[in-house]
DNA sequence: GTGAAAGCGCTAACAG
DNA sequence: CTGTTAGCGCTTTCAC
């Protein structure tokens, strides 16, 4: 920067002004500076700037697993939006592990990110409220915290989605519907389970805790879980899965057990990820606009960062059922 | 930091020494400092440190598209490895656009990343050599640059993979094998095409340029491309695809055209992504260890960063054929 | 073993 | 319209 100033025959501050185009500058001076910048290939250091402005033009993104297409598509939405705004994105996986989430958030703080977009783990809610939110603007996805300054919320209607799914299964005549739930939050708190329960009860069916299994949101759990469910409770004729990955695993389990899908056992997924229409049988699932979750979260994050006083009401994204072959 | 120093009754420098545990420090002093740090909840600012050390503990990752499971799994490998080393990762998509790659690299430079892992776009090779590599340690994936200091290379044997695939198709009796190639590099430079060609020629079949179509590495191109190939060249009985996404699209095209896979048209993919075994029909494909690409690239990146003088020879990952249903 | 002073590259406040 | 000075939070000489 000093070199540029010298080359242009102006002060260092003038260079700064040109770079940030702030303040009035005589056009001729400005041109001289611009030429010097070009000649020297000068690029301002974001690090040095950050030290004084407290802005790094960086935001953190934390979710379960980038290798899950659900998160990957969300990431894509965030990344595209961030690019437009010249923000860089740090990415971190937690695999649903609260400690990993804590470490990620702490590390982001150390790096002075301007904000973080998080799919929060229930067990950390209080910790986040206490230690992170006071010092870092946050956008939380699918989280029921109260609106407040420096906090953005993006929600998809989880319990409604589950209700849609289970209503459909009941309508199709299923009376014993197992569930393969995720394990990211305690069973009682998962809104998908609430929706499942609500649907059951609305139709006069009993909710049975023992046919709701929890496990990681991965194919492997779908396989193991469906296997267990169908073996131990032969009355089950349908399984509602926490996500499409689990549903794919459940598909495989049925194949292994010689059960035809959907005739012997219907399988219903959640997320409608990129591949759900291609697997065999194609998944009937709850469609979620993953790209929009990411894009809206990023936009909201930027707003929240720029308006630290303002309170933003939660953004809501709707879901709907996609009927394919598996149910 | 000053506060900590005061609270502990030592100088600022001593705090720095404790934090970085460097130099000899009397145990008692050290404890006093540690206590003060804990009490005040002090965390050193990576930004401030970076300004003087020129290390940000940050590396950039650039590839085509995070929503492609191939890249997502690579990312997972990078991320896991980085976490162990306390490095944060910036992620950026290019969609194969050279300008996007340039912008990403430049932005990483502005942010003072310690290094970048890139799936480079051929069109930018010279630019990268000239403007980026001199100022930024790089690890390049599937790139045939000569080994040199501050440069790491991770290669999977692209042309061999393609040869494996096409050999298999020929063995199965196919004589007219179309190819749906990617468009990330000019057609002639794609090593997958080289392998395809090599295999053909080794078996005495002619390479026909017109049945090698190029397009984006996405499902949509697979659909369009296969449709075109099968319609215009009815003699084609097998299609070798640049990746599994394209293969999935080709699968769909066959379905639409009423062609059975593999009886009427065999389809062979590349990458063996997470879902390739689940789609209908399950894809026969070339298996690549994506997680290892990421993990090895990250480890190599760290080595390269720490040994700027040393020359690292390329890391090589093998591929093999996975035979499922589609061919 | 420990501390004082200088400086990383930039912006903010205040002059002029 | 432009320049001078100070300082962001840390590490690095170099003394003591």
């Amino acid at each position: 920067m000093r070199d540029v100033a010298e080359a242009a025959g102006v002060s260092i501050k003038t260079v700064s002004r040109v770079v940030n185009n702030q303040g009035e500058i005589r056009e001729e001076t400005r041109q001289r500076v611009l030429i010097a910048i070009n000649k020297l290939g000068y690029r301002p250091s974001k690090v040095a700037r950050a030290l004084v402005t407290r802005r790094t033009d960086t935001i953190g993104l934390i979710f379960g697993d980038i290798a899950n297409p659900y998160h990957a598509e969300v990431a894509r939405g965030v990344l595209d939006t961030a690019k437009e705004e010249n923000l860089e994105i740090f990415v971190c996986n937690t695999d649903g592990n609260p400690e990993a989430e804590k470490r990620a958030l702490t590390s982001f703080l150390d790096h002075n990110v301007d904000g973080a977009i998080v799919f929060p783990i229930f067990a950390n809610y209080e910790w986040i409220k206490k230690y992170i939110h006071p010092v870092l603007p946050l956008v939380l996805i699918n989280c029921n915290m109260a609106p407040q300054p420096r906090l953005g919320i993006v929600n998809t209607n989880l319990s409604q989605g589950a209700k849609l799914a289970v209503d459909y299964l009941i309508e199709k005549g299923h009376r014993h519907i197992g569930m393969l739930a995720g394990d990211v939050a305690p069973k009682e708190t998962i809104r998908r389970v609430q929706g499942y329960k609500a649907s059951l009860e609305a139709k006069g069916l009993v909710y049975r805790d023992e046919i709701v299994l929890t496990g990681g949101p991965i194919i492997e759990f779908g396989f193991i879980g469906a296997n267990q469910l169908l073996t131990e409770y032969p009355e089950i004729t349908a399984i509602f899965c926490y996500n499409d990955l689990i549903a794919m695993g459940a598909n495989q389990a049925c194949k292994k057990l010689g059960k035809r899908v959907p005739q012997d056992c219907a399988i219903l997924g959640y997320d409608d990820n990129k591949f759900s229409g291609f697997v065999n049988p194609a998944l009937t699932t709850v469609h979620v606009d993953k790209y929009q979750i990411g894009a809206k979260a990023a936009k909201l994050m930027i707003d929240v960062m720029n308006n630290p006083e303002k309170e933003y009401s939660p953004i809501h994204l709707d879901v709907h059922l996609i009927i394919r072959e598996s149910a």
Side-chain angles (χ1 to χ4, degrees), chain A:
Chain A
M1 189 156 180
R2 193 172 35 230
D3 297 348
V4 174
E6 250 165 53
V10 298
S11 82
I12 213 171
K13 176 59 199 171
T14 302
V15 177
S16 169
R17 282 202 183 92
V18 171
V19 167
N20 300 294
N21 60 115
Q22 63 184 197
E24 312 290 293
I25 290 183
R26 207 192 316 149
E27 190 49 32
E28 185 234 301
T29 314
R30 168 197 205 66
Q31 287 306 330
R32 270 213 323 274
V33 173
L34 252 20
I35 288 168
I37 286 177
N38 258 315
K39 203 169 73 193
L40 300 181
Y42 166 77
R43 303 226 99 217
S45 156
K46 294 241 178 195
V47 171
R49 174 184 293 171
L51 193 56
V52 18
T53 60
R54 265 106 221 320
R55 274 270 199 164
T56 52
D57 298 338
T58 276
I59 76 185
L61 174 58
I62 303 182
F63 43 42
D65 178 15
I66 188 68
N68 176 343
Y70 170 70
H71 288 138
E73 286 178 56
V74 171
R76 189 67 221 229
V78 171
L79 256 12
D80 285 356
T81 308
K83 183 176 287 174
E84 285 167 23
E85 305 283 337
N86 278 308
L87 292 170
E88 289 300 335
I89 305 291
F90 284 128
V91 174
C92 197
N93 300 117
T94 65
D95 294 308
N97 174 352
E99 287 314 309
E101 186 177 88
K102 283 187 183 180
R103 254 180 292 125
L105 249 2
T106 312
S107 173
F108 285 170
L109 230 34
D110 290 348
H111 280 274
N112 261 289
V113 298
D114 297 336
I117 298 175
V118 188
F119 287 69
I121 294 172
F122 184 80
N124 282 343
Y125 276 24
E126 292 307 318
W127 182 85
I128 289 177
K129 256 189 230 171
K130 194 159 163 196
Y131 296 106
I132 301 299
H133 182 227
V135 287
L136 185 66
L138 251 29
V139 167
L140 269 17
I141 318 288
N142 282 337
C143 170
N144 50 2
M145 280 196 195
Q148 52 199 289
R150 296 156 39 74
L151 179 65
I153 308 259
V154 176
N155 281 331
T156 60
N157 202 331
L158 256 25
S159 60
Q160 191 216 323
K163 196 162 175 316
L164 238 43
V166 181
D167 279 357
Y168 173 78
L169 289 173
I170 295 174
E171 207 171 278
K172 283 281 182 179
H174 297 284
R175 290 295 167 268
H176 300 280
I177 303 171
M179 178 166 178
L180 259 20
D183 63 352
V184 176
K187 199 195 286 186
E188 297 72 34
T189 68
I190 299 175
R191 279 183 282 162
R192 280 176 178 85
V193 177
Q194 289 172 356
Y196 162 84
K197 208 166 177 173
S199 172
L200 251 35
E201 288 169 356
K203 310 275 174 162
L205 297 175
V206 281
Y207 169 83
R208 291 167 57 196
D209 209 53
E210 69 273 21
I211 61 171
V212 176
L213 266 35
T214 58
I218 54 176
I219 295 176
E220 291 72 18
F221 168 62
F223 185 82
I224 295 170
N227 200 62
Q228 183 179 337
L229 235 33
L230 295 172
T231 311
E232 294 181 12
Y233 306 94
E235 71 275 21
I236 289 176
T237 60
I239 300 180
F240 171 49
C241 303
Y242 175 88
N243 72 5
D244 285 348
L245 259 27
I246 292 178
M248 290 177 192
N251 252 177
Q252 293 299 103
C254 287
K255 200 166 286 177
K256 194 205 106 191
L257 294 171
K259 297 225 178 205
R260 293 164 305 161
V261 178
Q263 298 89 333
D264 302 329
C265 179
I267 291 178
L268 214 149
Y270 206 109
D271 290 347
D272 190 26
N273 83 40
K274 221 171 171 175
F275 304 96
S276 304
F278 292 89
V279 300
N280 183 22
L283 294 177
T284 292
T285 185
V286 177
H287 176 85
V288 182
D289 194 339
K290 300 149 291 290
Y291 186 91
Q292 278 305 319
I293 293 179
K296 300 237 179 201
K299 283 211 189 76
L300 182 55
M301 180 84 263
I302 291 163
D303 285 344
V304 168
M305 278 161 26
N306 293 332
N307 303 83
E309 317 293 332
K310 207 166 153 190
E311 202 167 276
Y312 288 86
S313 42
I315 289 180
H316 189 85
L317 291 172
D318 261 325
V319 298
H320 60 269
L321 196 65
I322 301 269
I323 297 171
R324 288 196 274 245
E325 303 166 357
S326 73

